[in-house]
C-alpha cells in the first residue's frame, strides 16, 4: 500500500477539483487572450458594411445578425474575464441601446495594447493608471468636439430626429436607413410625452408580418394584435371599449353545492336562469354604451351568443402585457370580473378592424385623436431572420430617440471623432513623464480601431485611409471622416453623418472600465462546479 502525502498549500485549503491560475502568464495574459477573441468576433460586424454572424444558440434557434448585443447574448460566454467585457456591452445596450459593438471591440483593443506593454515589462498597475488618465482626457476632448448649438433640439422635429438617428440605424440596415428612420421617427414623435425626458421605449411596438418588403411597412397610431376577433363582427368605428381581465364566461361558484330537481319544469327553469343571468350581464354592458368587449381569458359559448345578439365586437388578448398596453392605448380600466362597467372604466378607440396582411389575420386598434400612448411599426419582409434584424434596427432607432431626449448633443461620425481623439490623446501622452505615458500612447492608438475596422469591412485599404485622415486632421479639418461608398475621406457635415455624444461617452467609459477591471486580476481561483443536471431557465411566455 503506497503512502499518500497530505496535500499542502492551496490544495489543503480548497476542495479537491478546484482550479487555480496565478501570475502574469497564466492569469493576466490568458484573460487578455479571451477578451481579444471575443472582440475579434464582434469587430467584423462593426459599421454599415459589417458582416453578419450566424449564431445557433443552445435551444437550436438560428440568429443571422450583425448586432453585437444579440451575438454576445446568444454565445453564452463561459470565460470569467470575457464575461466582464460582455457585461460592459450589455450595460451599454441597456443604457443607450446602441454602441455595444464599439464597447466590446474597443475594450478588446485596449487589452491588446496592454498585452504588448506587459510583454515590454510594464506592470499592470502602471497601465491602469495610464488608461485612467487617458479616458479622462478623452472625455474632455470629446466634449470639445460637440457640434455647436446641437444641444438645443426640438424632439418633435422629424428632420432633426432623423439626422441623429441615421447613423445608428445605418449600422444595422445599410441602404435602408432612409425608409426605416422615417418610420421610426414618426412612431416616436407620435408617442412623445409633453416632457420628452419621460419617453418610454416600450410605447413603440413592433409587429412583424411575413411577406411583402420593407417598402410595405407602415406606422399605425395604436396597436396591432396578431389575432382575429371572436365572433362575426369584424369592424367598429368610434367605439367605447370595456376590458374584462378574467374572461367572459359563466363563473362557477366557489363552494360546492348539490341541487335537487324534482320535475322537468324545474330542470328547464334552472337552465333558463343561467341563460338569463349571462344575458343580463351582457345587456348591461351593451346599455353602458360599449360596442367592444375585450377579454383577458376564455370567452364562453353562451356569452358569445348574447354578444352577437347585442351587436358587440369581442376581442381576446391572452397576454397580460398586451392587455395592459391595450388599456394604455384606449384608456380603459381592466375589470377583474364580469360586472356592469362604470362610465369611467370605458375606453375609446377610433376604429377597431380585422384585416388580412400577407396571409396573417391581424386586429388593428387605431386611436388617431387625442392623447395616444402607443404606436406600432408594422414591419414586412420575406423571411423571419430579416424581420428579426429589422426589429433590432428599429429597437436601436427608438433607443437612440430616447437617448437624444436626454441629451441631444452630437459629434462627427464616420470615424472623424475617433481619429481626432487618437491625435489629441497622443499629443497628451508626450506631456506625461512617468511610465504611464506608454499606456496613454497605446490608448490613443486603440482609437484607430474604428477607422481601420470601418475601412476593412468596406474592403478599402485601411492604412491609406488612416494616414489621409491623420493628414486632414493635422491641417485642422477636425470633421473629416470616411465616405465608405466613395472610399475617400470627406467632411461629415456634407455627408450628414453624426453620432450622439452620449453614445460615444458611455461606450468609451464602459470599455475603459472593463479593460481596467480585467487588468486588475492577477489570480483566478475556480471552485469545483456543483454536480447534478443543469436546469434551463424557465422560458418567458411573452415576447418581452
Amino acid at each position: 500500500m503506497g503512502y499518500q502525502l497530505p496535500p499542502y498549500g492551496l490544495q489543503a485549503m480548497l476542495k479537491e477539483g478546484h482550479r487555480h491560475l496565478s501570475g502574469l502568464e497564466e492569469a493576466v495574459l490568458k484573460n487578455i487572450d479571451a477578451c481579444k477573441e471575443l472582440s475579434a468576433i464582434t469587430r467584423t460586424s462593426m459599421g454599415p458594411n459589417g458582416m453578419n454572424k450566424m449564431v445557433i444558440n443552445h435551444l437550436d434557434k438560428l440568429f443571422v445578425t450583425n448586432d453585437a448585443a444579440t451575438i454576445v447574448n446568444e454565445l453564452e460566454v463561459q470565460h470569467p474575464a470575457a464575461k466582464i467585457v460582455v457585461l460592459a456591452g450589455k450595460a451599454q445596450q441597456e443604457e443607450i441601446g446602441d454602441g455595444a459593438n464599439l464597447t466590446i471591440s474597443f475594450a478588446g483593443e485596449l487589452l491588446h495594447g496592454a498585452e504588448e506593454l506587459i510583454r515590454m515589462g510594464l506592470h499592470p498597475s502602471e497601465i491602469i493608471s495610464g488608461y485612467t488618465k487617458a479616458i479622462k482626457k478623452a472625455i474632455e476632448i470629446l466634449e470639445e468636439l460637440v457640434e455647436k448649438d446641437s444641444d438645443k433640439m426640438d424632439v418633435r422635429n422629424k428632420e432633426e430626429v432623423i439626422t441623429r438617428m441615421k447613423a445608428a440605424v445605418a449600422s444595422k440596415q445599410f441602404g435602408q436607413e432612409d425608409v426605416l428612420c422615417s418610420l421610426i421617427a414618426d412612431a416616436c414623435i407620435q408617442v412623445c410625452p409633453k416632457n420628452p425626458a419621460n419617453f418610454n421605449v416600450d410605447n413603440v411596438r413592433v409587429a412583424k408580418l411575413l411577406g411583402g418588403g420593407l417598402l410595405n411597412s407602415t406606422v399605425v397610431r395604436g396597436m396591432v394584435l396578431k389575432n382575429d376577433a371572436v365572433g362575426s363582427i369584424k369592424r367598429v368605428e368610434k367605439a367605447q371599449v370595456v376590458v374584462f381581465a378574467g374572461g367572459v364566461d359563466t363563473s362557477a361558484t366557489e363552494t360546492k353545492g348539490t341541487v335537487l330537481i324534482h320535475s322537468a319544469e324545474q330542470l328547464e327553469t334552472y337552465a333558463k336562469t343561467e341563460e338569463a343571468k349571462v344575458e343580463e350581464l351582457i345587456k348591461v354592458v351593451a346599455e353602458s354604451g360599449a360596442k367592444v368587449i375585450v377579454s383577458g381569458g376564455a370567452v364562453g359559448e353562451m356569452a358569445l351568443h348574447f354578444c352577437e345578439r347585442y351587436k358587440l365586437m369581442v376581442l381576446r388578448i391572452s397576454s397580460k402585457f398586451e392587455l395592459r398596453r391595450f388599456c394604455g392605448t384606449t384608456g380603459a380600466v381592466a375589470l377583474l370580473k364580469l360586472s356592469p362597467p362604470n362610465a369611467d372604466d370605458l375606453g375609446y378607440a377610433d376604429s377597431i378592424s380585422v384585416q388580412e396582411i400577407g396571409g396573417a389575420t391581424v386586429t388593428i386598434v387605431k386611436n388617431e385623436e387625442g392623447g395616444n400612448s402607443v404606436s406600432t411599426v408594422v414591419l414586412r419582409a420575406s423571411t423571419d431572420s430579416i424581420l428579426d434584424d429589422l426589429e433590432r434596427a428599429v429597437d436601436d432607432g427608438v433607443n437612440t430617440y430616447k437617448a437624444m431626449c436626454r441629451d441631444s448633443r452630437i459629434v462627427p461620425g464616420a470615424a472623424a471623432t475617433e481619429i481626432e481623439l487618437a491625435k489629441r490623446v497622443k499629443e497628451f501622452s508626450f506631456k506625461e513623464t512617468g511610465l504611464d505615458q506608454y499606456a496613454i500612447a497605446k490608448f490613443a492608438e486603440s482609437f484607430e480601431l474604428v477607422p481601420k475596422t470601418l475601412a476593412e469591412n468596406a474592403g478599402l485599404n485601411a492604412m491609406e485611409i488612416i494616414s489621409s485622415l491623420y493628414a486632414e486632421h493635422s491641417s485642422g479639418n477636425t470633421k473629416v471622416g470616411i465616405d465608405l461608398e466613395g472610399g475617400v475621406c470627406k467632411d461629415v457635415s456634407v455627408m450628414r453623418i453624426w453620432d450622439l455624444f452620449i453614445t460615444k461617452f458611455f461606450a468609451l467609459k464602459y470599455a475603459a472600465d472593463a479593460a481596467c477591471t480585467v487588468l486588475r486580476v492577477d489570480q483566478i481561483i475556480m471552485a469545483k462546479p456543483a454536480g447534478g443536471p443543469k436546469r434551463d431557465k424557465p422560458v418567458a411566455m411573452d415576447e418581452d
Side-chain angles (χ1 to χ4, degrees), residues 33-97:
D33 263 355
C35 299
K36 272 165 52 188
E37 287 296 322
L38 180 70
S39 77
I41 293 173
T42 59
R43 182 178 302 176
T44 51
S45 295
M46 187 191 269
N49 298 74
M51 307 301 276
N52 279 357
K53 303 278 181 254
M54 198 179 267
V55 181
I56 298 166
N57 72 358
H58 64 294
L59 297 171
D60 259 2
K61 188 173 186 321
L62 172 72
F63 293 85
V64 181
T65 178
N66 59 4
D67 180 39
T70 310
I71 295 167
V72 295
N73 250 340
E74 298 307 329
L75 280 181
E76 295 210 354
V77 177
Q78 277 290 291
H79 194 284
K83 263 188 184 165
I84 293 172
V85 177
V86 170
L87 288 172
K90 279 187 182 169
Q92 172 74 6
Q93 187 67 17
E94 281 170 21
E95 187 72 38
I96 307 293

Side-chain angles (χ1 to χ4, degrees), residues 234-242 288-292 311-313 330 346-353 364-370:
K234 304 290 184 192
R235 183 182 184 88
V236 292
E237 303 278 339
K238 294 194 169 33
Q240 287 193 308
V241 184
V242 60
S288 70
K291 287 188 193 170
V292 183
K311 299 278 185 294
L312 294 176
M313 182 182 190
T330 55
L346 296 177
Y348 175 80
D350 278 333
S351 75
I352 299 181
S353 58
I364 296 178
V365 182
K366 282 190 181 171
N367 235 349
E368 303 289 344
E369 308 295 322

Side-chain angles (χ1 to χ4, degrees), residues 322-379:
E322 283 289 286
L323 198 66
R324 208 173 289 162
R325 281 183 210 114
F326 182 87
C327 290
T329 309
T330 55
V333 176
L335 304 172
L336 284 175
K337 57 176 195 280
L338 262 182
S339 56
N342 298 330
D344 305 344
D345 298 338
L346 296 177
Y348 175 80
D350 278 333
S351 75
I352 299 181
S353 58
V354 176
Q355 294 178 19
E356 195 168 311
I357 302 179
T361 310
V362 294
T363 307
I364 296 178
V365 182
K366 282 190 181 171
N367 235 349
E368 303 289 344
E369 308 295 322
N372 181 23
S373 62
V374 178
S375 67
T376 304
V377 181
V378 180
L379 291 177

Side-chain angles (χ1 to χ4, degrees), residues 242-248 293-299 314-318 323:
V242 60
V243 179
F244 293 116
V248 181
I293 289 183
V294 178
S295 160
V299 180
V314 183
L315 292 177
R316 181 163 179 255
I317 303 176
S318 47
L323 198 66

